[in-house]
Amino acid sequence: MAGEQLILSPVTRPSAARTAVRVAAIYVAARIVTSLFLFAAAELSGFTSRMGADAQLGDTIVAWDGQWYWLVAVSGYPSQLPLNDAGQVAENAWAFLPIYPWLAQWVSIPFGLWHTGALIVSLVAGYGASVALYHLLRMRLDESATLWAVAFFASGPLAALFHVGYAEALNLFWLFCALLAVARQRYVWLYALIPLMAFTRPGVLAFALFLALFGIWRWLTRAREPLRAPEIAHIIAAGLLAAVAGFAWQFIAGWVTGNPEAYLVTEMAWRRNWILGDATFTPFEPFLAGISYWFETMWHLPLALGYILVAGGLLVVAVALIALPQVRRLGIEIRLWSASYLVYLLLVFFPQSSIFRLLVPLSPLWGAFAVPRSRAWRIGVLIACLAGQWWWIYNMYALGSTNWQVP
């Protein structure tokens, strides 16, 4: 909020054009490196890889979930849920939201190939997200730290998402713009951004929780910064919109298919690939089942150890969000969003290899890694990002042959 924001004088505030060029230079350099990594992964792809032994660079765009987004673009959504041999609902397109594949299809019209449209949308959205992240972090950090944080984001372990047919890059753009709107108290933008998020990637319910927590924080700090009636109305209205939008796709899927649980049972179809027997859902149950799966079934370790390690990790994260100076520098909006999103994952997510991808919405926390002024530290973080990026690309695309190599 204004009481906590770093106030920049006209001398220190770079122009919008200069900012766009600086961020573009970082982003383009990062995309060249990622392209080389993906090309190497395609060359190393073997018979057991999802892409096959004769993979090309373009195959990475529609590998894994990219095929589902392509299917949504060309075939739409089934009016009747498909069943497997056991009579259970099988994997189908209802698990994937429509804005990204349809936008990619529209962009692809001049080129005649959905893959090209998907690549363009991901690349452009990734750049937009980088610019929005810059403006979000620049409210709290100096120019150098902000640009380094953008470099970490653009070169991070999951940077391949800016090149493939996944909706993450587009969703990050909406998300960072929404967080920026809240930080600048320009709440009207949320009425457009929230529906865009809701129909691009699951997770807008986490934004509803964030707005609830943010509203409480604004109320508790109203003596320091006045809380006026229009702001209260916007926070409540936007929060309700996010809650309604978060459930809208479930109602749409139920209405089209005639099965009120169409979306939920579709999501459970993917979970059955990881566990024996049918999958069910109650809040927190998927996460607890995931701990049991990995520690008992896969690693043959005591379940109690899994609970202890996960609880310890969550405690460390909570302390970092509350007390770590580098994180506190980022402002209350980023901290509350990070907490809200982690709670959302605990409520609904079955932890598996996709956890790396699902943690990408926490990317504003890269700002905390950029706060230390040591050049050696910053270069070291960047090298670690690139090493992690190659590790992820190599395992998920060049290999992709075991249950922990699914992006």
Side-chain angles (χ1 to χ4, degrees):
M1 304 307 298
E4 290 189 1
Q5 291 172 5
L6 175 65
I7 305 300
L8 301 175
S9 69
V11 175
T12 60
R13 190 191 304 272
S15 67
R18 184 182 178 190
T19 294
V21 171
R22 285 186 170 187
V23 173
I26 293 171
Y27 186 74
V28 169
R31 300 288 60 79
I32 292 172
V33 173
T34 303
S35 296
L36 294 174
F37 285 166
L38 288 170
F39 177 79
E43 289 293 308
L44 295 171
S45 179
F47 289 103
T48 59
S49 170
R50 185 64 170 252
M51 297 190 301
D54 299 318
Q56 303 294 321
L57 183 60
D59 294 326
T60 62
I61 299 174
V62 290
W64 300 104
D65 286 356
Q67 292 182 329
W68 284 106
Y69 285 112
W70 169 80
L71 183 65
V72 168
V74 299
S75 301
Y77 296 92
S79 59
Q80 184 173 355
L81 295 175
L83 303 178
N84 60 20
D85 293 339
Q88 301 166 314
V89 173
E91 297 94 334
N92 65 85
W94 282 109
F96 301 90
L97 294 163
I99 287 183
Y100 174 79
W102 289 352
L103 179 59
Q105 178 74 352
W106 178 77
V107 173
S108 72
I109 291 175
F111 308 99
L113 191 64
W114 184 86
H115 306 38
T116 304
L119 176 62
I120 292 172
V121 171
S122 292
L123 286 173
V124 173
Y127 172 66
S130 299
V131 173
L133 180 63
Y134 171 91
H135 288 291
L136 178 63
L137 295 176
R138 189 67 178 93
M139 296 177 67
R140 314 287 180 168
L141 306 180
D142 61 33
E143 178 78 356
S144 176
T146 302
L147 290 174
W148 274 102
V150 171
F152 299 157
F153 169 67
S155 306
L158 277 292
L161 293 174
F162 302 134
H163 295 248
V164 299
Y166 277 58
E168 268 73 9
L170 186 60
N171 192 64
L172 288 175
F173 176 54
W174 309 138
L175 171 63
F176 295 168
C177 288
L179 292 173
L180 184 62
V182 173
R184 292 182 171 177
Q185 298 186 12
R186 298 176 181 175
Y187 301 109
V188 173
W189 285 100
L190 296 180
Y191 301 117
L193 290 167
I194 284 172
L196 289 171
M197 286 191 288
F199 290 96
T200 299
R201 277 283 302 151
V204 76
L205 289 175
F207 200 81
L209 176 59
F210 158 69
L211 287 174
L213 295 177
F214 179 76
I216 293 171
W217 179 84
R218 285 293 290 121
W219 176 262
L220 295 176
T221 60
R222 66 190 185 279
R224 186 169 72 234
E225 183 179 357
L227 178 62
R228 297 178 176 85
E231 184 178 358
I232 296 174
H234 279 308
I235 293 174
I236 293 175
L240 291 174
L241 175 62
V244 171
F247 290 103
W249 190 244
Q250 297 184 39
F251 286 104
I252 293 172
W255 176 67
V256 172
T257 63
N259 183 345
E261 296 185 335
Y263 177 75
L264 184 60
V265 295
T266 294
E267 290 288 353
M268 293 300 100
W270 264 271
R271 186 172 157 192
R272 284 198 303 271
N273 294 331
W274 293 85
I275 62 175
L276 297 176
D278 204 2
T280 59
F281 174 81
T282 55
F284 292 112
E285 185 274 336
F287 203 89
L288 295 175
I291 296 174
S292 175
Y293 170 79
W294 287 105
F295 279 85
E296 285 190 316
T297 304
M298 296 300 298
W299 299 333
H300 306 294
L301 295 172
L303 182 59
L305 177 62
Y307 290 145
I308 292 172
L309 291 177
V310 171
L314 293 174
L315 180 61
V316 170
V317 171
V319 170
L321 291 177
I322 295 171
L324 192 66
Q326 292 85 350
V327 178
R328 291 179 63 87
R329 282 279 303 276
L330 305 181
I332 193 64
E333 296 85 3
I334 290 176
R335 292 160 62 204
L336 287 180
W337 160 251
S338 301
S340 300
Y341 186 70
L342 288 171
V343 169
Y344 167 79
L345 289 183
L346 288 173
L347 284 168
V348 305
F349 181 59
F350 176 82
Q352 28 91 358
S353 58
S354 294
I355 187 65
F356 301 110
R357 176 167 54 88
L358 293 187
L359 290 176
V360 169
L362 299 176
S363 291
L365 291 176
W366 280 120
F369 290 87
V371 168
R373 296 180 178 275
S374 167
R375 181 174 294 272
W377 164 263
R378 289 170 170 175
I379 293 175
V381 173
L382 183 59
I383 292 173
C385 285
L386 294 173
Q389 184 182 155
W390 169 244
W391 180 89
W392 192 81
I393 289 173
Y394 175 71
N395 279 282
M396 305 302 173
Y397 287 90
L399 300 181
S401 57
T402 67
N403 61 349
W404 62 269
Q405 292 171 330
V406 181

